[in-house]
Amino acid sequence: MGRRGKKKGRPVSGWVVLDKPVGMGSTEAVSKIKWLFQAEKAGHAGTLDPLASGMLPIALGEATKTVPYVQDGAKVYRFTVAWGEERSTDDLEGPVTESSQLRPAEAEVRALLPKYTGVIMQTPPQFSAIKIAGERAYDLAREGETVDIPAREIEIGRLDIVEHGADRTVFEVECGKGTYVRSLARDMGRDLGCFGHISELRRVEVEPFTPEDFVTIAELEAARFGERDEAGGDADAPETPIDFGAIDALLVETAAALDCLPQVVVSDDAATRIRLGNPVIIRGRDAPVEAEEACATARGRLVAIGAIEQGMFKPKRVFAG
């Protein structure tokens, strides 16, 4: 008897800009979304800790090819620092390692902000996914090891105080790739002499997506199942085809991830040639003359990422039509 092939799922493509709830891990969220869409493949653009909520962009199908462009985009977080305690994980999850009765005045906190704005050096938390001698730092930390994690360069575009109270301060930060907000809380607490840790963290934006793109698990489930009971139904009843139209309508186009690149609009014939790996002549007064990276679209759909050289678009990575 021949082996039955594994069911691959649908070749659906696009971005789910998930408003991840607190308590759900990023890998768990990807698995849930992949299941809801019955997608062939899925991946996310930047881990969000289980204790954090907010924007987790999840790529389906062909959109997974654009993940690096979203990972490199600026991010905006709103977070609360609780003063008076430093914790092993730099958030609520770990035990208290340092404490103080001191509490900073708003003026003291505000005076510290310029130190944490611009290009700075930052040491990631002990509980982080940084690899040390081939092992994840959080695995070593869970075994009780204290590891020497080298500081690295990050960029913070802005750091603002949203609200200040007696025991905590709410901030909003716009930052680049590789920034650990937990490290910000830890380092500011040490500088202020009162210690601090993250008590609440929400990712508000991941460029190029905005809060208007948010969709929740509940909204996706409602679109996927409608009035039907997700786990119910008569097991002996004949299986009926599933209409994915409502849930697919909640996807953001794959091309949205490439807003950072020069855009080239091509004809259907040119799109066919590009998808076969052939270069095409770029026409039009507004077409870029030279670009190391650009994206070609036809009828609003992404065709390829490539380079523009001597008036020609040369594909490097093509996308299914």
Side-chain angles (χ1 to χ4, degrees):
M1 183 182 291
R3 294 177 64 186
R4 179 179 291 181
K6 186 176 180 181
K7 195 172 182 180
K8 290 184 176 180
R10 298 193 304 138
V12 58
S13 295
W15 282 92
V16 178
V17 185
L18 182 67
D19 188 350
K20 187 192 79 66
V22 172
M24 176 178 280
S26 295
T27 302
E28 179 188 355
V30 171
S31 296
K32 177 75 171 180
I33 298 305
K34 186 179 180 182
W35 176 75
L36 282 170
F37 281 86
Q38 294 294 292
E40 283 183 333
K41 55 184 176 179
H44 66 75
T47 300
L48 202 55
D49 292 339
L51 289 181
S53 68
M55 191 172 289
L56 180 66
I58 297 174
L60 302 181
E62 292 287 275
T64 57
K65 297 175 182 178
T66 66
V67 163
Y69 298 91
V70 178
Q71 286 179 326
D72 287 344
K75 299 167 181 64
V76 178
Y77 295 88
R78 182 165 290 206
F79 63 101
T80 302
V81 178
W83 306 116
E85 292 180 346
E86 185 170 307
R87 294 177 177 242
S88 63
T89 56
D90 300 315
D91 61 17
L92 285 171
E93 194 171 30
V96 176
T97 56
E98 301 281 358
S99 63
S100 171
Q101 296 300 314
L102 295 174
R103 297 295 182 269
E106 182 174 351
E108 293 177 278
V109 179
R110 195 173 297 281
L112 192 61
L113 300 186
K115 179 180 178 180
Y116 292 94
T117 306
V119 177
I120 65 171
M121 298 301 292
Q122 183 186 74
T123 302
Q126 289 286 306
F127 284 82
S128 64
I130 301 294
K131 281 194 173 182
I132 306 294
E135 294 192 62
R136 298 289 185 186
Y138 54 65
D139 289 330
L140 297 171
R142 288 186 184 117
E143 293 171 2
E145 290 189 43
T146 300
V147 295
D148 182 21
I149 304 177
R152 56 187 186 172
E153 190 177 273
I154 62 164
E155 185 170 4
I156 296 179
R158 63 179 176 86
L159 178 59
D160 302 321
I161 295 174
V162 177
E163 182 183 334
H164 178 79
D167 297 311
R168 60 194 62 230
T169 305
V170 181
F171 299 89
E172 188 166 280
V173 63
E174 181 178 343
C175 55
K177 182 179 179 181
T179 302
Y180 279 91
V181 181
R182 286 181 290 140
S183 291
L184 277 178
R186 176 200 67 205
D187 294 343
M188 287 193 291
R190 289 177 181 178
D191 281 346
L192 291 165
C194 63
F195 304 113
H197 65 275
I198 294 287
S199 62
E200 191 172 346
L201 175 62
R202 179 169 176 79
R203 189 154 66 192
V204 181
E205 292 185 32
V206 178
E207 193 178 30
F209 304 116
T210 69
E212 285 70 35
D213 298 314
F214 265 137
V215 64
T216 64
I217 294 287
E219 289 170 333
L220 291 167
E221 288 178 338
R224 171 71 167 74
F225 299 107
E227 298 299 318
R228 295 188 297 125
D229 180 1
E230 178 179 335
D234 185 352
D236 297 323
E239 192 172 313
T240 56
I242 299 170
D243 181 6
F244 288 94
I247 193 169
D248 286 353
L250 298 175
L251 287 170
V252 176
E253 281 286 342
T254 299
L258 302 177
D259 282 351
C260 57
L261 298 182
Q263 309 287 310
V264 176
V265 179
V266 299
S267 66
D268 291 345
D269 287 343
T272 300
R273 294 198 296 276
I274 289 170
R275 288 192 173 107
L276 292 173
N278 300 313
V280 298
I281 296 173
I282 301 302
R283 306 185 186 280
R285 198 173 47 179
D286 300 325
V289 178
E290 298 282 331
E292 290 185 8
E293 276 195 312
C295 69
T297 61
R299 298 178 184 266
R301 301 296 300 274
L302 186 58
V303 177
I305 299 171
I308 300 175
E309 300 173 358
Q310 299 177 334
M312 299 191 74
F313 180 86
K314 299 180 178 180
K316 295 179 180 177
R317 170 160 275 188
V318 299
F319 295 79

